[in-house]
């Protein structure tokens, strides 16, 4: 029998109700089922979202809600939800993505046979509209040495794909506030503490994207968030000042150029176009 595990998800008021239902359905229709699904309500939710969550709770005892009085942001919401996760293994899932049916089985099997690995992730297929409309894939490095090297410039994990050992995440302080970088900041601290990470070289989650994805991720606000994130890494001595400056120029500079150019850069550096 496989080791029991929790699923951790956060939901806030702007979520699409249909997307949320599809996401939870994909968790409940796995070849290996989670023992509990912890859904954090990050602040008050509109009635339609509450109705969907309540219906899942009634039909499935494994779905449990953690309600926060006000919106605190993804990192803080996940930290709160983590307190309610009973099991050592915790799977992350986003409220608008769709897990492939064998995702948990493959990742749990890997962790059970690799006790030295603290986090296991995977690649993702990105879709627009229907989940069958795959438009690209985000490929991440496989082994720990590749992940360490890659992480100096870019996020080495697809957050919605990871399963981690709760004790390892808690050891480095859990999710810490860093707007837009909560997960990346966590992986950097885990890598710095020498917790091993591995990415299965297969897409185990269909990740929802939109045509205006790159338009919404540019602007001075994102540039300043990048500067703040790099400063956090310098303060913890994870990277040096010179490396932080390079990252701000290369990564932050992308935030303030036209979105069409940003799209070309991301597609070339990080994403692979899926064949027609």
């Amino acid at each position: 029998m496989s080791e029991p595990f929790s699923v951790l998800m956060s939901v806030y008021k702007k979520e699409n109700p249909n997307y949320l239902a599809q996401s939870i359905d994909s968790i409940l229709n796995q070849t290996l089922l989670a023992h509990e699904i912890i859904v954090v309500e990050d602040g008050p939710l509109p009635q339609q979202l509450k109705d969907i969550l309540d219906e899942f709770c009634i039909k499935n005892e494994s779905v449990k809600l953690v309600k926060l009085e006000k919106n605190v942001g993804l990192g803080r919401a996940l930290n709160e939800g983590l307190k309610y996760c009973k099991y050592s293994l915790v799977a992350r899932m986003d409220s608008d993505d769709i897990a492939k049916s064998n995702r948990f089985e493959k990742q749990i099997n890997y962790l059970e046979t690799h006790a030295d690995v603290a986090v296991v992730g995977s690649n993702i297929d990105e879709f627009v509209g229907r989940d069958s409309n795959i438009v690209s894939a985000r490929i991440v490095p496989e082994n720990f040495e590749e992940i360490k090297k890659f992480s100096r410039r870019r996020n080495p994990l697809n957050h919605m794909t990871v399963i981690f050992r709760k004790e390892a995440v808690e050891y480095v302080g859990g999710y810490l506030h860093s707007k837009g970088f909560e997960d990346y900041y966590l992986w950097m601290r885990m890598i710095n503490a020498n917790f091993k990470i591995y990415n299965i070289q297969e897409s185990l989650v269909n990740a929802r994207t939109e045509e205006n994805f790159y338009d919404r991720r540019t602007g001075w606000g994102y540039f300043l968030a990048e500067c703040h994130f790099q400063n956090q890494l310098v303060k913890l001595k994870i990277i040096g000042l010179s490396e932080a400056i390079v990252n701000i120029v290369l990564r932050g500079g992308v935030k303030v150029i036209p979105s069409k150019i940003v799209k070309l850069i991301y597609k070339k550096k990080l994403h692979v176009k899926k064949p027609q």
Side-chain angles (χ1 to χ4, degrees):
M1 181 177 292
S2 296
E3 186 174 345
F5 66 99
S6 307
V7 175
L8 178 59
M9 175 188 289
S10 177
V11 179
Y12 83 123
K13 64 182 180 180
K14 293 185 179 180
E15 308 285 3
N16 182 301
N18 292 328
Y19 297 169
L20 174 61
Q22 291 173 20
S23 180
I24 297 177
D25 271 331
S26 75
I27 297 172
L28 294 170
N29 287 281
Q30 290 282 308
T31 56
L32 181 64
L33 295 177
H35 287 65
E36 62 177 8
I37 301 167
I38 304 297
V39 181
V40 181
E41 296 185 13
D42 187 9
L45 300 180
Q47 192 61 46
Q48 195 171 4
L49 285 173
K50 291 197 290 186
D51 289 345
I52 287 173
L53 292 175
D54 289 342
E55 183 177 355
F56 274 112
C57 286
I58 292 170
K59 293 181 178 179
N60 303 273
E61 292 183 355
S62 62
V63 180
K64 303 169 185 177
L65 304 181
V66 176
K67 300 184 180 184
L68 305 183
E69 291 185 0
K70 62 179 182 178
N71 179 264
V72 296
L74 180 63
R76 294 188 178 107
L78 292 178
N79 263 346
E80 189 62 28
L82 197 58
K83 298 175 185 177
Y84 292 84
C85 293
K86 293 181 180 178
Y87 303 106
S88 175
L89 298 181
V90 179
R92 271 284 293 119
M93 184 66 183
D94 281 347
S95 57
D96 57 353
D97 296 329
I98 299 174
K100 297 187 180 182
S101 62
N102 62 349
R103 175 198 163 181
F104 294 156
E105 182 178 3
K106 289 202 169 189
Q107 291 181 292
I108 294 296
N109 285 344
Y110 185 87
L111 287 168
E112 288 181 336
T113 55
H114 296 81
D116 60 327
V117 173
V119 185
V120 62
S122 79
N123 300 327
I124 57 174
D125 285 333
E126 297 176 320
F127 70 96
V128 174
R130 293 180 177 273
D131 64 324
S132 58
N133 182 33
I134 304 298
V135 296
S136 61
R138 185 176 190 270
I139 310 301
V140 282
E142 180 176 9
N143 64 52
F144 188 46
E145 290 305 316
E146 293 170 337
I147 287 169
K148 283 199 295 185
K149 182 178 179 181
F150 190 92
S151 71
R152 313 296 290 190
R153 292 286 182 267
R154 286 167 279 169
N155 193 333
L157 290 161
N158 293 309
H159 191 197
M160 74 290 283
T161 73
V162 304
I163 298 182
F164 55 71
R165 300 189 191 275
K166 181 179 177 180
E167 294 82 2
V169 167
E170 291 177 330
Y171 180 86
V172 298
Y175 289 92
L176 298 179
H177 182 65
S178 184
K179 187 176 180 180
F181 296 90
E182 290 89 350
D183 63 309
Y184 193 176
Y185 193 24
L186 174 59
W187 315 141
M188 291 299 282
R189 285 179 286 118
M190 294 188 76
I191 289 170
N192 196 50
N194 208 36
F195 284 108
K196 290 188 178 179
I197 300 173
Y198 180 80
N199 280 313
I200 294 173
Q201 292 302 289
E202 181 179 346
S203 292
L204 297 179
V205 173
N206 286 342
R208 192 180 302 274
T209 188
E210 299 172 3
E211 295 295 346
N212 67 343
F213 176 87
Y214 300 99
D215 295 324
R216 294 185 292 108
R217 281 159 176 77
T218 56
W220 286 104
Y222 283 95
F223 175 81
L224 293 176
E226 181 72 53
C227 293
H228 176 70
F229 173 58
Q230 295 298 326
N231 184 51
Q232 286 178 308
L233 298 183
V234 171
K235 284 184 175 180
L236 290 179
K237 298 182 180 180
I238 294 175
I239 63 174
L241 179 59
S242 60
E243 190 169 7
I245 293 172
V246 170
N247 285 341
I248 289 171
V249 171
L250 295 179
R251 288 171 47 86
V254 170
K255 311 295 185 183
V256 292
I257 61 178
S259 59
K260 289 183 179 179
I261 298 176
V262 174
K263 186 174 182 178
L264 290 174
I265 293 171
Y266 273 83
K267 291 293 183 182
K268 182 177 180 180
K269 295 292 185 182
L270 200 57
H271 296 69
V272 177
K273 184 72 174 180
K274 300 294 283 188
Q276 302 296 320

